[in-house]
Amino acid sequence: MTKRTLGFVALGAAAAMLLSACGGGATDGNGGEAAFNQGETQVVNPSDATGGTLRYAISADFDSPDPGNMYYAFAWNFSRYYARTLLTYTGEPGTEGTELQPDLAESMPEASDDGKSYTVKLKEGLKYEDGSEIVAEDVKYAIARSNFGEQALPNGPKYFKQLLDKSDDYEGPYADGDDPLKGFDGIETPDDHTLVFHLKKPFAEFDYILLQPQTAPVPAEADKGEQYQTRVLSSGPYKYDGDYRSGESLHLERNDQWDPESDPIREALPDRVEVEIGVEQNEIDQRLVNGDLDVDLAAASVGPAMKGTLLSDESKKVNVDNPETNTLRYVNVNTVVEPLDDLACRQAIMFAADHDALQRAWGGAAGGEIPTQIMPKELDGSDQSIDLYPSEDRKGDLDKAREKLEECGEPDGFSTNIGARSDRPADVATAEALQSSLKRVGIDAQIKQYPSDTYTNTQAGSPDFVHENELGLTVYGWAPDWATGYGFMSKIVDGRSIQKAGNSNISELDDPEINKLFDEVVDEQDPDVRAQKYAEIDRLVMENAAILPAVFEKTVYYRPDNLTNVYYHVGYAGYDFMALGTTRE
Amino acid sequence: MLTYILRRVGAGVLLLAIVTLVTFTIFYVVPRLAGQTTEQLATMYVGKAPTPEAIEATIDRLGLDQPITVQFWEFLRGIFVGAEYQFGRDTVQCAAPCFGYSFQNYQEVFPEIIKRLPVTFSLAIGAGVIWLVGGVAVGVISAIKKGSVFDRVAMGIALAGVSLPIFFTGLLCLAFLVHATGLFPSPSYTPFTDNPVAWATGLILPWVTLAFLHAAQYARQTRAGMLETMGEDYIRTARAKGLAERKVVLKHGLRPTLTPIVTIFGLDLGLVLGGAVLTETVFSLNGIGRYAVTAIVQSDLPVILGVTLFGAFFIVVCNLIVDLLYAWVDPRVRVTA
C-alpha cells in the first residue's frame, strides 16, 4: 500500500465514523407531561401495565441482600421484592408514606394495657417460594438469628436485642444443635399464626421495629448464617433467579407462590428485576439518561458531573426529582474534647459558622436546605421556628462569636481538628467551608481525613480515637432508622447511646434532661405529645450547641421515560421500588 | 532442557513463598506494629452497629487474637489442605487451595477469583493480541519508512498512548464512542461460550483502550530495535546475497528485535492477568482487578492477600514462559542444564 492509499483509507474511515456518529443521535423522549420534582409529591407516569424487565445498577454493593443482615435504606427498600415483613410503610408519596400498615400481619399489632407486650396475628395461607407455609416460628427464628448470639448477623440494627425481655441468657440459634430457639422467651408463638412480643419496658414506637426486614420469615432449616444471602428463600412476589453474585449481580424472577390478594403494597409490575453490581457511578448516570438503565439502586444523588448537566438542561430537567431526604448533614461539636467542653466555646462555633458556605459545599440549593435545628421537616415534631444562632444572610454572626469566645476564656480563638471522610467530596468541602468560617474569629481548625469505610466504626465512631486525636469537630450525616423523632435522634443525642466503637453520638452529648425526655417518650402512647417532646429535645440539642446542622440533604434523581409509577418514598429515602414498572420489554 | 524447566519452576515456587510471607506481613503484622489493637482491627469487620460482644465474637471468628505465627500457619495450611468454616449451623468445606473467606461479604476468596478469571483473561488475551500485533507492525513499518508521514504520525500517537492514562482514554471512549454517538455498545462481559459475538463486541472498547496504552510502547521499542538491527552488517550481507526485502526484514531484521519484546510482553501480560485494575474499574468489568480494588477499599485482608498471590502467580508463570521462548526466538540463546 502506498503512502497515498493509506492516507485515503484513513480519511475514509474517519469520515465513516463521523457520519455514523451523526446518525446515532439521541432519540427524543416522550416525557412531555412530567415536570421537575414532580415525583416528590405525586406518582409520575402511573400505569398498571405488567411485564418487562426492570434494570437496576449500583456502583458499590449491598451490605448484604439477606433481610436479616442489612442496614442501608436502599437494601431495606429492595428486600421487599423477596421478603415480606410483619408491618410495612404505606405506599404513598409525601408524609403519608411514613405511616404503617400490615404486611405479613393480618392487622396492626395489639399492645397490652401496660405497653409491655404486643400481639401480632399472621395472615393464613401465606407461602414461601417452595410452597411451604409461612409460620410464626419462622419470624421468631429470623429475629433470633439477626439479633442474638455470638454469630448474630453483624450488619443490621439490634433493636430487638435491646427491647425484648426474657432473652438475656439466650445464646443464639446456633448454640443448641437440637432446639435453636431454646431459651429465647422474648417472643412467644402460641400457635402457627400468632406472635407475642414481650418487652423489658414499654416502647411506644415498637410498631416501627416490626417493619424492619429482620421480621421477614426464615425457616431454621434454610438458614446458612452469613451465607444465606446467596439464596434467600422468598416470601414475596419475586424469588432469586440463580445465586446472588457478590460484586456482580442479583437477578429476580416471579414467585408463583406469592398471593397478590394477600399483599396490599406490592404492585409487582415487571416480570423480572435485574441488578448489575459494581458499575462505575458516571456510567450509571449516563445509562439512566440514555434509557439503558431504569434505577440507581443506591438511591443516592447522580454524580456531580451529571447533576450539573441535568439541572441546567431544561429538556432533561423535567425528568429530574430533587426531594429532601430526611438526612441531616451536620458537624458534631464534641462536648468532651477541650476547649469545646465549655458550652460558650461550642456556641462560638455555632455563631461563627457561615451557613451559606456550608450549603454551597453541598451543591447549593439543589444540594440541600439550610436548617436551624436538627429534625427533618417530614418528621412529626420538627419545629422550623427553632433558630438560636441567627445571622444576616446566614453568613454567621462574628460579633456574637467573639463574645462567646471571651466568655469561654479563649478571646483570641483556639485550635482544634475537623474530621472528615476523605472519599466523600462534599464532606471534605464542608470541612473546608467550616475551616474558613472559623478562621474569621481566630479559631484554627486543621482538617484530618479518614476513609469512609472505617470512619464510622474506628475513627469518628470511637470516642477514644476522637479524644486522642482531638477531633473537636467531625463531619457526619444521619437519616432516621424509622420515620419518627426517636428513630432519628436517639442514636445521635441520647447520652446512653454513646459506645466505644461504632458510636453515633459523636458529640458525646449526655444531657440528663434530654435523656429523661427519651425515657418519657417511649412510655407515651399519644403521638402528638411525643411530637412535642421531640421538638423539646431538638431545642435542647441546639442549646447545647452539640450539633452544627449544615443542610437537610436534597438528592438529584433522574427518572427515565420508560419508568412507570415513580414517586419518592419518605420512609425508604428513595423511589418506592415496589411500585415501579417499566414500559420496556 | 527439563532440568532447566524444573530449576525455573523451583525458583518460581520459592518466589511465590516469599511473596506470600511479605504480603502477609504487610497486611497482618504492620497494622499491629503501627499500634492497632485487635479490637480496632475487628471493628472494621463488624458491621454498622457494633456492640462489645459483637467485636469479641468477630475477634474470635477471624482469629485476630491468635499469635501471628499461628495465623500464618493457618493461612498456609488452608492453601495446601483446605479448611473448614462455620456459617450458622452449616459447616462449610473450603477446599484447597483455600485462601479463606472474605471478611466483608463472607464469600470464599478462591472461587470468587476463579469466577472473575474469565473476565480478566478475556480482557488480557484480546488486548494482548491487539497490542502485540499492532504495536510490532506499526514499529516495523515506522522503521522501514523512517522519517515518512506515517512514521511521524504513528510515533506521535505512540507518544500519546504511552503518556495518557487509561482513566482518561477510557472515559473519553465511553463518553464519545458509547454515550454520545452510540457507535459501540456499553462494555460488558458475556462468556465466550455463550455468545462469541457478544463477547467480542462487549470487550472491543476495553481491548482497544488497554492495547493503546501498551501498543505504543511496543511500537516505539520495535522501531528502535529494527533501526538498530537493519544497520547491522549481516543485513547488508543478506541483501547482497539477493534475498527478497520481505525476508530480510521479517526473518533477519525482526527476529532479533523480538527478544526484548517477548520479555516485556510476558511481563505485561502477567500484570494484566493479575488484574487490569484501571481498565476493569473504568469499564465496570467485574474481573480480578476490580475485585482487588473493592477489597482494598474495604480493608478485606483475605481477598487482598488472595488477589496478590494470584497476580504474583501469573507474573511468575509468564516469566517462565518468556525464558523458554527466548531460546526459540533468538538462536543466540541456548538453554543448557
Side-chain angles (χ1 to χ4, degrees), chain A residues 3 6 17 20-21 24 59 63 69 71-72 141 150-151 154-157 161 173-174 177 180 220-221 224-227 229-230 245-248 277-280 283 286-287 290 453-454 457-458 499 501-502, chain B residues 40 43-51 53 55 57 60-61 86-90 92 104-108 112 115-116 148-150 171 174 177 179-183 186-187 281-282 284 286 290 297-299:
Chain A
K3 243 188 281 178
L6 252 177
M17 280 170 76
S20 51
S59 58
D63 37 359
N69 199 19
Y71 213 152
Y72 288 128
Y141 184 83
E150 272 192 3
Q151 293 180 55
N155 289 337
K161 189 175 163 76
Y174 314 121
E221 57 275 16
K224 291 184 189 313
E226 287 98 336
Q227 288 196 332
Q229 61 175 0
T230 313
R245 298 175 67 137
S246 147
E248 204 168 312
I277 299 166
V279 181
E280 212 258 334
E283 178 74 6
Q286 195 68 58
R287 283 201 218 167
N290 288 0
D453 261 29
T454 54
N457 274 4
T458 316
Q499 47 191 33
Chain B
Q40 281 169 331
T43 50
M44 291 197 282
Y45 311 112
V46 78
K48 288 170 211 68
T51 55
E53 304 92 70
I55 293 174
D60 193 44
R61 178 169 67 96
Q86 194 74 30
F87 285 104
R89 271 190 308 280
D90 243 31
V92 179
Q104 300 285 3
N105 64 26
Y106 320 109
Q107 306 287 319
E108 260 183 62
E112 287 290 305
K115 211 170 70 186
R116 286 166 171 80
S148 67
V149 179
F150 178 89
L171 288 179
L174 278 177
L177 300 177
H179 298 306
T181 64
L183 277 175
S186 269
T281 308
V282 167
S284 309
N286 281 307
R290 210 186 147 86
V297 171
Q298 300 179 329
S299 312

Side-chain angles (χ1 to χ4, degrees), chain A residues 33-101:
Chain A
E33 288 169 21
F36 172 66
N37 207 20
Q38 199 180 358
E40 183 169 17
T41 49
Q42 51 181 293
V43 180
V44 183
N45 210 359
S47 161
D48 53 7
T50 55
T53 299
L54 194 60
R55 298 154 307 166
Y56 289 82
I58 183 167
S59 58
D61 201 344
F62 288 90
D63 37 359
S64 164
D66 178 347
N69 199 19
M70 50 170 61
Y71 213 152
Y72 288 128
F74 80 82
W76 285 24
N77 191 355
F78 188 85
S79 69
R80 296 181 296 156
Y81 276 126
Y82 50 83
R84 295 181 66 175
T85 47
L86 289 179
L87 303 181
T88 185
Y89 285 121
T90 46
E92 301 280 343
T95 41
E96 285 82 1
T98 62
E99 283 161 22
L100 296 173
Q101 66 178 20

Side-chain angles (χ1 to χ4, degrees), chain B residues 226-247:
Chain B
M226 281 297 282
L227 285 178
E228 200 186 321
T229 342
M230 293 304 278
E232 297 276 344
D233 288 345
Y234 69 87
I235 296 287
R236 218 175 309 146
T237 315
R239 282 193 178 127
K241 283 198 307 191
L243 276 180
E245 185 62 15
R246 207 167 63 102
K247 209 164 184 184

Side-chain angles (χ1 to χ4, degrees), chain B residues 101-122:
Chain B
Y101 67 98
S102 158
F103 285 177
Q104 300 285 3
N105 64 26
Y106 320 109
Q107 306 287 319
E108 260 183 62
V109 174
F110 191 69
E112 287 290 305
I113 293 177
I114 295 299
K115 211 170 70 186
R116 286 166 171 80
L117 185 61
V119 180
T120 305
F121 190 71
S122 303

Side-chain angles (χ1 to χ4, degrees), chain B residues 239-261:
Chain B
R239 282 193 178 127
K241 283 198 307 191
L243 276 180
E245 185 62 15
R246 207 167 63 102
K247 209 164 184 184
V248 174
V249 172
L250 294 182
K251 193 170 176 194
H252 297 275
L254 184 58
R255 203 161 158 176
T257 311
L258 279 183
T259 322
I261 298 285

Side-chain angles (χ1 to χ4, degrees), chain B residues 126-141:
Chain B
V129 168
I130 296 178
W131 89 58
L132 184 66
V133 174
V136 170
V138 168
V140 170
I141 299 174

